[in-house]
Amino acid sequence: MLRTPTPTHDANALGGSKNLGNLPEWDLTDLYPSNDAVELKRDLDWLEEACRSFAADYEGKLADLSAEEFLTAIHRHEKIENIAGRIMSYAGLRYYQLTTDALRAKFLSDHQEKVTIYTTPLVFFTLELNRIDDGIIDALFDANADLARYKPAIRRIRAMKPYQLSDEMEKFLHDMGVVGDAWERLFDETIAGLEFEVDGEPLTIEGTLNLLTEQDRSVREAAARELAAVFADNIKIFARVHNTQSKEKEVMDRWRGMPTPQTGRHLSNDVEPEVVEALRNAVVAAYPKLSHRYYELKRKWLGLDVMQVWDRNAPLPMEATRTVGWDEAEETVMNAYTEFDPRMGEIAKPFFSKGWIDAAVKPGKAPGAFAHPTVTDVHPYVMLNYLGKPRDVMTLAHELGHGVHQVLAAGQGEMLSSTPLTLAETASVFGEMLTFRRMLDNAKNNAEKKVLLAGKVEDMINTVVRQIAFYDFECKLHDARRGGELTPDDINALWMSVQAESLGPAFEFMDGYETFWAYIPHFVHSPFYVYAYAFGDGLVNALYAVYEENPDGFQDKYFDMLKAGGSKHHTELLAPFGLDASDPKFWDKGLSMISGFIDELEAMEG
């Protein structure tokens, strides 16, 4: 129910200089004026009473409600979701600005506990809802068109019916949720507090990862070795977090009777397991014609006999080292969005002018990038760690796409606005594609076009190949944990088992690379989230092909899809474009776009 913000993009864009212009910071006053605001206290008091009275009015009575009474109950539940979501968004976003600050961590923890305690009486709602016969539910929908609008949300709740525990057990697990969250916070605080030193300069993890995209190979190597050394020093903490989280999940899944560790994610994504399996198999089968082929090209460009891991995101030799100031980044993305449709530019504009983006890299700030939707009557907030490389522009385009999507879907209300993860990446990846196409069209010569194409291929490989390799690693990790505690060496071995397969024969792996699983936040915050990136990229590639073939009327259909939020299944959302993600051949269309870009790069060699 509660949407605490989590980092959601394994940002490929890392880079930097300090002369970036005036980088925006969040203004969180649209949520609450301050951490001791009377409005916050008022909302906490309201929430406690609203949850108590909701339970008093409806517990044990849901099956006997008329359609109108049931609609009133849903509206009351949505209002509770809204206030709880506002409180947790404020506490969470404030924390992510400075995760090393003990008072912010305490503020988040205290409010998490209060909200959990206050909302425990609501646990009955979904449990009782799932005990009502299908016939009664259908009759309620037939009797009231306004209630029928909530059918997709109710259907998703009822999909959990086979895995539901007793009322007492569900309340217990709800209360225990704050304990699991503590492991996530330990991970966040450990990552944000890591200290690195390269060539005598103290750096955060963002600054160190940034060096992996430097032109100077010795700097990239020094950064990779420093990352490995610091991860190794902290590997016991990361192994403990992963062991505990995966064991907690295994216990939960076993009690619920879930057939696989991935089942819960597929259910929350509203996607069929066979669709994900088809995606995974299509990508793995395409490794040789995608990542293996591209990295062989890159190996030649770099003039190397064999590539090391610190060469994976290296700039090309013909690529000029260039810092993109914030104003230029804003102009590039805004022009791309506006050229596609002026309405998109209008939605994106306030992100830059009203304190909806926090862009600068700062000590203690959460790494990576994300867009958090907050609640439907406020607006999203975008977090970046902007360091001025061209790929950072793509991350801005990506997260702004999430923001636009979230603004458009807000009209659906709390229960229907949240898009399943598989479709949540659609607008973000589409925003990247629009920005890339604009930059490609404006390329001054073939060399510049080559650099842009190669950069896009690398981003797509990072989004598709790398994330499916991450997914395979998670599958292996959770499977292995069922057999007992995993040592750091055990986890390292699982990581390496997917890396060579996905990256291909162009690579050699340095000692220490086996620990690089440790810093990926998705494994801790959102198990099995990562396939959503590959899903989104494949879907957008297919969508973009439709747009190129027949642009007439595309924008309106595209906006309708984004406005739908979570109110429709992926089959309904894609039908107007003549696309069907349940068709195994669907994924080959998306992958062929990446392959086609590599064909272009190979042709440039000739």
Side-chain angles (χ1 to χ4, degrees):
M1 184 178 81
L2 306 180
R3 290 180 287 176
T4 306
T6 56
T8 60
H9 187 48
D10 179 33
N12 302 320
L14 297 159
S17 166
K18 296 185 173 57
N19 305 313
L20 299 170
N22 190 20
L23 295 173
E25 290 191 2
W26 278 337
D27 175 3
L28 297 180
T29 58
D30 287 345
L31 291 165
Y32 292 104
S34 67
N35 62 318
D36 57 359
V38 292
E39 292 89 344
L40 179 58
K41 171 76 168 64
R42 177 202 66 204
D43 281 358
L44 280 164
D45 291 343
W46 181 91
L47 183 66
E48 184 176 21
E49 170 56 25
C51 293
R52 188 202 60 73
S53 62
F54 185 91
D57 290 346
Y58 295 114
E59 190 163 9
K61 304 167 191 169
L62 278 192
D64 301 321
L65 296 180
S66 68
E68 287 71 24
E69 289 167 334
F70 199 84
L71 181 62
T72 300
I74 282 181
H75 286 160
R76 284 175 65 179
H77 199 282
E78 279 197 301
K79 177 67 175 171
I80 289 169
E81 278 189 78
N82 177 279
I83 296 300
R86 181 186 281 255
I87 294 166
M88 290 314 304
S89 292
Y90 179 73
L93 294 172
R94 197 169 160 271
Y95 167 73
Y96 277 116
Q97 283 183 300
L98 190 58
T99 64
T100 49
D101 178 48
L103 290 176
R104 292 187 187 220
K106 174 179 165 51
F107 184 85
L108 173 61
S109 182
D110 287 350
H111 285 79
Q112 223 158 15
E113 287 184 20
K114 282 179 184 174
V115 169
T116 299
I117 290 165
Y118 296 167
T119 55
T120 296
L122 302 185
V123 171
F124 83 90
F125 184 69
T126 53
L127 305 179
E128 249 180 71
L129 181 60
N130 286 347
R131 284 198 289 267
I132 300 173
D133 288 342
D134 288 346
I136 293 173
I137 290 285
D138 290 341
L140 289 171
F141 288 143
D142 291 341
N144 189 305
D146 290 335
L147 180 61
R149 198 175 75 78
Y150 290 93
K151 193 183 289 189
I154 302 295
R155 177 180 58 78
R156 283 199 293 274
I157 291 169
R158 286 170 70 81
M160 280 296 292
K161 190 175 179 177
Y163 312 111
Q164 193 166 288
L165 301 174
S166 69
D167 292 14
E168 284 301 306
M169 194 66 182
E170 291 288 356
K171 285 179 181 175
F172 170 75
L173 291 175
H174 179 85
D175 278 354
M176 284 295 288
V178 294
V179 179
D181 291 343
W183 288 96
E184 294 179 21
R185 289 228 316 283
L186 173 64
F187 171 84
D188 290 338
E189 287 162 17
T190 303
I191 283 286
L194 292 180
E195 295 177 356
F196 303 85
E197 188 176 305
V198 180
D199 293 337
E201 185 182 355
L203 294 164
T204 64
I205 189 167
E206 286 289 348
T208 314
L209 288 166
N210 152 55
L211 296 180
L212 296 177
T213 64
E214 283 294 309
Q215 194 71 260
D216 186 333
R217 192 169 190 239
S218 66
V219 172
R220 297 199 306 271
E221 178 178 356
R225 296 199 182 280
E226 177 68 356
L227 286 164
V230 174
F231 292 157
D233 288 344
N234 293 273
I235 205 68
K236 286 183 180 176
I237 295 177
F238 293 121
R240 170 61 45 228
V241 169
H242 281 66
N243 267 292
T244 307
Q245 292 275 75
S246 50
K247 181 61 182 176
E248 181 187 43
K249 186 170 186 351
E250 184 271 321
V251 170
M252 212 79 93
D253 288 348
R254 179 158 37 87
W255 274 77
R256 291 194 180 284
M258 293 210 171
T260 72
Q262 299 83 11
T263 300
R265 176 61 64 200
H266 298 336
L267 284 168
S268 68
N269 281 351
D270 201 18
V271 67
E272 300 73 22
E274 55 271 20
V275 172
V276 178
E277 192 63 16
L279 162 65
R280 182 259 168 207
N281 292 342
V283 173
V284 172
Y287 284 170
K289 69 177 182 180
L290 300 181
S291 48
H292 297 187
R293 187 161 63 116
Y294 173 74
Y295 287 128
E296 183 57 28
L297 266 180
K298 186 166 186 177
R299 182 189 67 75
K300 290 176 188 167
W301 293 335
L302 294 173
L304 300 170
D305 292 330
V306 66
M307 295 223 305
Q308 300 289 344
V309 291
W310 56 80
D311 299 316
R312 185 173 65 83
N313 282 328
L316 302 185
M318 69 290 282
E319 188 173 339
T321 301
R322 183 165 102 77
T323 298
V324 182
W326 179 255
D327 289 347
E328 184 186 343
E330 177 183 344
E331 184 183 7
T332 301
V333 176
M334 282 296 293
N335 284 345
Y337 275 35
T338 303
E339 279 178 17
F340 171 70
D341 193 299
R343 290 172 293 178
M344 193 180 260
E346 284 302 310
I347 295 168
K349 194 186 294 180
F351 280 85
F352 295 94
S353 60
K354 293 190 174 179
W356 300 3
I357 298 176
D358 197 301
V361 174
K362 302 167 202 161
K365 180 177 170 180
F370 64 80
H372 177 59
T374 71
V375 287
T376 57
D377 56 356
V378 185
H379 56 76
Y381 283 91
V382 165
M383 175 174 273
L384 304 172
N385 277 274
Y386 189 83
L387 284 157
K389 286 254 174 98
R391 283 183 180 173
D392 286 345
V393 181
M394 301 308 289
T395 300
L396 170 60
H398 180 104
E399 300 305 339
L400 199 60
H402 278 306
V404 167
H405 194 172
Q406 290 157 1
V407 168
L408 284 167
Q412 295 290 344
E414 301 302 333
M415 230 170 153
L416 290 167
S417 63
S418 187
T419 310
L421 291 184
T422 40
L423 289 163
E425 293 301 326
T426 307
S428 52
V429 179
F430 198 85
E432 281 189 72
M433 183 64 85
L434 291 173
T435 305
F436 162 71
R437 291 288 186 177
R438 186 174 200 284
M439 292 165 80
L440 196 67
D441 288 345
N442 292 337
K444 296 179 184 70
N445 51 49
N446 249 10
E448 199 174 309
K449 186 177 180 184
K450 183 176 179 177
V451 168
L452 282 167
L453 262 177
K456 183 60 179 169
V457 168
E458 289 199 16
D459 284 348
M460 290 169 124
I461 287 172
N462 282 337
T463 304
V464 177
V465 170
R466 187 163 161 79
Q467 302 299 335
I468 289 299
F470 282 178
Y471 178 66
D472 279 353
F473 165 72
E474 282 190 279
C475 292
K476 290 184 175 190
L477 176 78
H478 285 262
D479 190 48
R481 182 64 182 89
R482 292 184 172 210
E485 177 90 5
L486 300 173
T487 67
D489 286 345
D490 292 334
I491 303 176
N492 292 348
L494 295 175
W495 173 256
M496 292 309 295
S497 74
V498 301
Q499 291 301 303
E501 180 191 20
S502 63
L503 293 175
F507 279 94
E508 199 169 80
F509 298 96
M510 69 169 191
D511 287 342
Y513 182 67
E514 66 274 6
T515 63
F516 275 46
W517 53 270
Y519 78 95
I520 311 297
H522 306 73
F523 301 156
V524 176
H525 284 286
S526 310
F528 306 108
Y529 180 108
V530 288
Y531 73 72
Y533 292 120
F535 197 109
D537 198 272
L539 191 153
V540 165
N541 291 344
L543 259 185
Y544 203 87
V546 172
Y547 173 49
E548 286 187 314
E549 287 163 19
N550 188 12
D552 289 346
F554 180 91
Q555 282 90 335
D556 285 341
K557 285 191 280 188
Y558 180 72
F559 272 83
D560 286 343
M561 179 175 72
L562 299 189
K563 284 176 188 171
S567 68
K568 292 181 180 176
H569 188 259
H570 63 79
T571 49
E572 290 179 86
L573 289 171
L574 293 176
F577 303 95
L579 299 171
D580 179 8
S582 61
D583 177 357
K585 292 176 185 170
F586 170 83
W587 301 112
D588 295 330
K589 289 177 191 169
L591 295 173
S592 67
M593 179 177 280
I594 309 175
S595 189
F597 286 160
I598 301 172
D599 291 344
E600 282 190 61
L601 287 167
E602 284 181 336
M604 287 180 177
E605 294 301 283

